[in-house]
Each structure stands twice: as structure tokens, then as C-alpha cells.
Amino acid sequence: MDPNASTRTEESAGQSATHAEPSDDIGILADIQLLWEDLQGLSHDRFRLAALETRRAGQSLTTMLAAAVMLGLLLSAAWLGLMAAGVQWLIEHDLQASSAILLAVAGNLLLALILFGVIRRRSRYLQFPATQHSLKPVSKDYAVKDLV
């Protein structure tokens, strides 16, 4: 056995390992390239899905607003019909027509005033008062009083 043979074998193994590294690098780069393309494809699909859902949401909102306007008109007509029936009933029970109409108008104005009060009381919650209070910094005097 030649003692140089083992070093030659080690050298050839080292050379073949060196030659294997570039092919491994090429394989890794190809894998990275494929992953990058997959990521781009997935992100494109997600953006397309978001765009389609946004379009659908816009169409739904438009339909809902149109239905709400129609509903408001129908409810207004029904309310006017109820007011006319009430006025007619008052007239039939020996109340003058002008007095019956004024009574219906006063009732409508009273209901409008009550609803305005409800809206005004509830509007302060639109400003997130508890959240604003929790975000304010604690003053030094207040913090010292709590510690003492």
C-alpha cells in the first residue's frame, strides 16, 4: 500500500466535494427562485381576491343604500297615512279640521324633539371618551397622591 494513495484519495474527495458545492448552490438558488415566484403568485392572488371582494362590498353597499332610501320613503308615506287617518278620526269626533291638523303637527314635533335628544345624548359616545381618557398622561400631582 502506498502511503501517498490515502492522501490522493482525500484530495480527490476534497475536489469532488468542492465541485459538488457549486451544484448545491445552484440548486438552492433555484429553490429560492421558485419560492420567490410562488410568493409573488400568492400575493397577486390575494390582492386580486381583495379587489374582487372590495367590488362586491361596494355593490352591496350601493344596493343597501338604495333599499334604505326606498324603505325611508315607504315608512314616511305610511307615517303620513297614519297621521291623515288620525286627523280624520279627530274630525269625525267633532274636532275642527284645523285643530286636528295642528294636533298632528304638534305630535310630530314632540316626537322629533325626543329623537333629537336621544341623538344628542348618544353622539358623545362617537368620540370614544373612555379611550381618550385612558390615553391622557397622568399628571405628577395625581400620581404623587396615589403613592402617598
Side-chain angles (χ1 to χ4, degrees), residues 70-145:
M70 291 171 53
L71 179 65
L73 290 173
L74 289 172
L75 288 175
S76 295
W79 181 253
L80 289 174
L82 283 174
M83 289 293 105
V87 168
Q88 182 67 33
W89 183 80
L90 289 173
I91 291 172
E92 288 175 359
H93 285 84
D94 296 331
L95 195 64
Q96 291 183 354
S98 60
S99 297
I101 292 172
L102 284 175
L103 188 60
V105 169
N108 277 333
L109 289 175
L110 180 64
L111 183 60
L113 187 62
I114 291 169
L115 292 174
F116 178 75
V118 168
I119 290 170
R120 187 174 172 137
R121 277 193 309 274
R122 297 302 251 169
S123 68
R124 63 183 160 172
Y125 295 117
L126 295 175
Q127 299 172 356
F128 299 96
T131 303
Q132 285 183 359
H133 181 70
S134 71
L135 293 176
K136 287 183 181 177
V138 178
S139 66
K140 291 181 183 179
D141 295 334
Y142 183 72
V144 170
K145 289 178 185 176

